[in-house]
Amino acid sequence: MPAEVEAWLRRRTSATADWPLGALIEAKAATSVSVVLPARDEQETVGEIVEAIRHELDRVVDEVVVIDSRSRDDTAQVASRAGAKVFAQDDILPHLAPLDGKGEALWKSLAVTSGDVLVFVDADIRNFQTSLVTGLLGPLLTDPTVAYAKGCYDRPLRGAPTGGGRVTELVARPLINLHWPQLAGFIQPLAGEYAGRRSALERVPFITGYGVELGLLVDLLELAGLDGLAQVDLGAREHSHQSTEALGGMAAQIMLAAWSRLERQGKIHASHEPAVRLAQFHRTDSGYEAFTRDVSIDERPPMLTIRA
């Protein structure tokens, strides 16, 4: 690991215990804070998360916003009853053709929130603790040079304390170490929990699919420099695990996201466009059967260009 990254790890890595609520309330001053939960079919968990944030963090969080991504269950109603402001993803900036994916919800949240600092939290977290939010806020509320704080944590898998985060270890980490070694110190580069200053987030594009986390890391490194980024140990994160087939689609989108950034930064000169159909297989009574899925990604421009 480069010496610069080792020094960054020591200087810019903290833990939730380093950021007690009282200290954050004092440091917050006039800074406004929005917590955003992108949610699709998360009625089982979203209400508990919203209630915990509103009741325990009312002196540091100014608004809780849920972006409902075409849920087929009662996610929107549950979130609203718990006290969140709820927006249907496709109703935000309706003059734009709707796109799919988590990154679309995150990007559109910039248009309906008011906070100077935004905290993004997945809506499927089980056993949610508000220290996740306060941990991410710590570096941003106490140090004006930090533009973005990324969560890291242990990923339990099937009863074992670690073992989750397979796409990180098999795809994202090798890509980062190969092409963006300055980011090699991020323990969970694909973590869905992070916070950033609006002034930074509105200046970078958002990939709409599963590549949004990698895209933000790469683009914010270019915008703010390594010292403008931080990470916070949030302990452990437990959520539902996806099938191996679903992880394959996620991995493909992350690789496409990396390709797009390598091209944009002039690190590769492509002689072809990457295919966006992923062939996978499952066994039937008569043998293996192939099926394909579309893994293409879209991208939204910096929000500042839309508001201009």
Side-chain angles (χ1 to χ4, degrees), residues 155-164 166 238-239 241-244 247:
R155 292 286 306 277
L157 179 65
R158 301 188 184 96
T162 60
R166 291 163 286 173
E238 182 181 353
H239 71 148
H241 293 280
Q242 300 193 51
S243 68
T244 302
L247 294 179

Side-chain angles (χ1 to χ4, degrees), residues 19-91:
W19 311 112
L21 180 58
L24 294 185
I25 293 171
E26 184 177 349
K28 172 179 160 57
T31 304
S32 55
V33 175
S34 302
V35 174
V36 174
L37 286 80
R40 183 174 187 178
D41 297 333
E42 303 294 355
Q43 65 177 18
E44 300 300 324
T45 50
V46 69
E48 178 183 340
I49 295 172
V50 171
E51 287 181 357
I53 295 171
R54 281 183 46 79
H55 292 157
E56 297 179 30
L57 304 181
D58 60 308
R59 295 181 64 189
V60 72
V61 173
D62 298 284
E63 63 179 355
V64 181
V65 173
V66 170
I67 307 297
D68 182 34
S69 300
R70 305 170 193 153
S71 293
R72 294 162 294 183
D73 65 6
D74 292 332
T75 291
Q77 295 89 331
V78 171
S80 181
R81 286 197 299 267
K85 299 178 183 178
V86 180
F87 298 87
Q89 176 178 303
D90 293 339
D91 290 345

Side-chain angles (χ1 to χ4, degrees), residues 110-134:
L110 296 173
V112 294
T113 52
S114 59
D116 303 314
V117 171
L118 287 85
V119 184
F120 297 115
V121 177
D122 282 348
D124 65 345
I125 302 173
R126 302 185 185 279
N127 303 317
F128 175 79
Q129 302 292 322
T130 55
S131 57
L132 184 154
V133 175
T134 56

Side-chain angles (χ1 to χ4, degrees), residues 269-290:
H269 299 283
S271 60
H272 73 288
E273 286 295 319
V276 295
R277 301 291 295 177
L278 176 66
Q280 295 176 296
F281 296 86
H282 58 77
R283 182 181 282 280
T284 66
D285 293 340
S286 58
Y288 285 104
E289 181 177 324

Side-chain angles (χ1 to χ4, degrees), residues 206-217:
F206 277 62
I207 293 170
T208 58
Y210 282 112
V212 60
E213 279 83 19
L214 179 64
L216 283 174
L217 265 186

Side-chain angles (χ1 to χ4, degrees), residues 80-279:
S80 181
R81 286 197 299 267
K85 299 178 183 178
V86 180
F87 298 87
Q89 176 178 303
D90 293 339
D91 290 345
I92 303 170
L93 303 176
H95 62 287
L96 301 176
L99 297 176
D100 298 320
K102 175 185 176 182
E104 171 83 340
L106 300 181
W107 181 76
K108 283 190 169 180
S109 76
L110 296 173
V112 294
T113 52
S114 59
D116 303 314
V117 171
L118 287 85
V119 184
F120 297 115
V121 177
D122 282 348
D124 65 345
I125 302 173
R126 302 185 185 279
N127 303 317
F128 175 79
Q129 302 292 322
T130 55
S131 57
L132 184 154
V133 175
T134 56
L136 291 171
L137 283 173
L140 290 154
L141 293 182
T142 61
D143 188 339
T145 67
V146 174
Y148 184 71
K150 184 87 171 178
C152 62
Y153 34 63
D154 295 333
R155 292 286 306 277
L157 179 65
R158 301 188 184 96
T162 60
R166 291 163 286 173
V167 176
T168 289
E169 297 304 326
L170 297 176
V171 180
R173 198 177 309 285
L175 283 170
I176 285 170
N177 278 267
L178 283 169
H179 303 296
W180 297 282
Q182 278 187 298
L183 297 174
F186 279 93
I187 296 165
Q188 293 286 355
L190 302 183
E193 288 72 42
Y194 38 89
R197 297 191 189 280
R198 178 179 297 275
S199 57
L201 295 171
E202 289 194 340
R203 286 174 166 78
V204 293
F206 277 62
I207 293 170
T208 58
Y210 282 112
V212 60
E213 279 83 19
L214 179 64
L216 283 174
L217 265 186
V218 172
D219 293 343
L220 287 166
L221 172 66
E222 194 169 28
L223 177 75
L226 182 58
D227 204 51
L229 313 179
Q231 70 179 340
V232 182
D233 183 355
L234 304 176
R237 182 193 189 281
E238 182 181 353
H239 71 148
S240 56
H241 293 280
Q242 300 193 51
S243 68
T244 302
E245 290 173 353
L247 294 179
M250 183 187 303
Q253 290 198 325
I254 290 165
M255 294 180 75
L256 287 170
W259 178 288
S260 72
R261 276 15 189 201
L262 290 169
E263 271 198 305
R264 184 172 299 169
Q265 294 181 350
K267 293 185 174 184
I268 60 171
H269 299 283
S271 60
H272 73 288
E273 286 295 319
V276 295
R277 301 291 295 177
L278 176 66

